[in-house]
Amino acid sequence: EAQVTQNPRYLITVTGKKLTVTCSQNMNHEYMSWYRQDPGLGLRQIYYSMNVEVTDKGDVPEGYKVSRKEKRNFPLILESPSPNQTSLYFCASSLIPRGANVLTFGAGSRLTVL
Amino acid sequence: GQQVMQIPQYQHVQEGEDFTTYCNSSTTLSNIQWYKQRPGGHPVFLIQLVKSGEVKKQKRLTFQFGEAKKNSSLHITATQTTDVGTYFCAGLEPLGGATNKLIFGTGTLLAVQP
């Protein structure tokens, strides 16, 4: 089944403890992106990648890192999480870069930073 | 930065009533996409509109793209409890050359009372 898989789905952590949210897609998509969803703010883009080894900042990149060493994987790294990074995170991918094609979203990762 | 405004933020209807959500951009869009997110779920692609003035229908859902390609609407006729969720528009903003940026609206949460 064609899908985007995120892990973990739920995570409670403490301020400053590094964590990684993994994202993997099995559709051979070139474009991958991370979003965070907060009440009243919709979906805001954190980082995106147009292909392997090509990543760029979205609208809210502060406090996050990403890497794209393989086409299928696009992990989101929080080096030193803070409470304002408590949010619902979605990974998404599409066949054509820059969202000209439709996005397929993962199931989401709910992160709480205490 | 560029924003796509969506109204209303929340709508509560009785089952059988109609529902409309509106999306407005300050700049001309290349296309507009609509996504639905069920409670506790992830955004799922519904439709994409490309042409000025385009109207598309999916059963009880009618999607419109404005003549100036700056606004769009989603209308649901005779809502059902299965329509509950958050509806997002996402506008593709041309940035020059082959580069585009997909910008999500803030979403409209639809509640349907049986």
Side-chain angles (χ1 to χ4, degrees):
Chain A
E1 180 188 353
Q3 60 185 356
V4 178
T5 304
Q6 295 178 227
N7 280 296
R9 294 288 315 281
Y10 303 91
L11 179 63
I12 300 174
T13 189
V14 295
T15 299
K17 186 176 181 182
K18 180 180 178 180
L19 68 92
T20 299
V21 186
T22 63
C23 174
S24 181
Q25 51 92 6
N26 62 0
M27 298 167 283
N28 202 35
H29 283 174
E30 295 172 332
Y31 179 85
M32 297 186 75
S33 181
W34 277 102
Y35 294 87
R36 60 177 290 174
Q37 183 176 15
D38 303 288
L41 297 177
L43 291 160
R44 294 181 294 167
Q45 189 177 50
I46 303 171
Y47 268 94
Y48 65 93
S49 170
M50 299 192 41
N51 216 323
V52 176
E53 301 292 1
V54 180
T55 63
D56 210 343
K57 296 178 180 179
D59 297 314
V60 288
E62 294 78 20
Y64 305 95
K65 285 174 58 177
V66 292
S67 69
R68 188 91 182 272
K69 293 182 170 53
E70 306 165 282
K71 196 172 188 178
R72 63 182 291 124
N73 295 322
F74 190 45
L76 179 69
I77 303 156
L78 285 74
E79 293 272 2
S80 183
S82 61
N84 64 12
Q85 292 178 299
T86 293
S87 187
L88 177 58
Y89 292 87
F90 288 103
C91 181
S93 70
S94 75
L95 185 59
I96 297 175
R98 278 297 192 176
N101 204 343
V102 304
L103 290 173
T104 300
F105 282 84
S109 297
R110 185 167 292 281
L111 171 66
T112 301
V113 183
L114 302 175
Chain B
Q2 165 63 6
Q3 284 188 319
V4 175
M5 303 305 295
Q6 196 172 344
I7 56 170
Q9 270 200 335
Y10 173 78
Q11 182 92 54
H12 178 239
V13 300
Q14 295 283 333
E15 189 172 23
E17 292 181 337
D18 292 356
F19 159 77
T20 305
T21 174
Y22 301 90
C23 201
N24 292 287
S25 168
S26 57
T27 62
T28 303
L29 303 170
S30 297
N31 68 44
I32 196 147
Q33 301 170 12
W34 285 91
Y35 292 78
K36 177 183 178 181
Q37 182 180 21
R38 294 184 185 274
H42 58 278
V44 175
F45 173 76
L46 293 176
I47 208 160
Q48 178 171 278
L49 304 170
V50 179
K51 300 176 184 175
S52 168
E54 189 170 12
V55 178
K56 286 188 176 180
K57 292 192 175 185
Q58 288 180 349
K59 297 182 180 178
R60 294 177 294 103
L61 278 61
T62 302
F63 303 84
Q64 292 188 321
F65 199 11
E67 293 290 343
K69 301 184 76 172
K70 290 185 176 182
N71 56 73
S72 181
S73 65
L74 158 59
H75 179 82
I76 301 178
T77 303
T79 54
Q80 300 176 357
T81 54
T82 53
D83 295 325
V84 164
T86 301
Y87 293 85
F88 290 99
C89 63
L92 193 66
E93 180 193 4
L95 298 179
T99 304
N100 302 286
K101 180 173 183 177
L102 191 65
I103 303 168
F104 278 86
T106 48
T108 296
L109 174 61
L110 172 63
V112 180
Q113 184 165 353

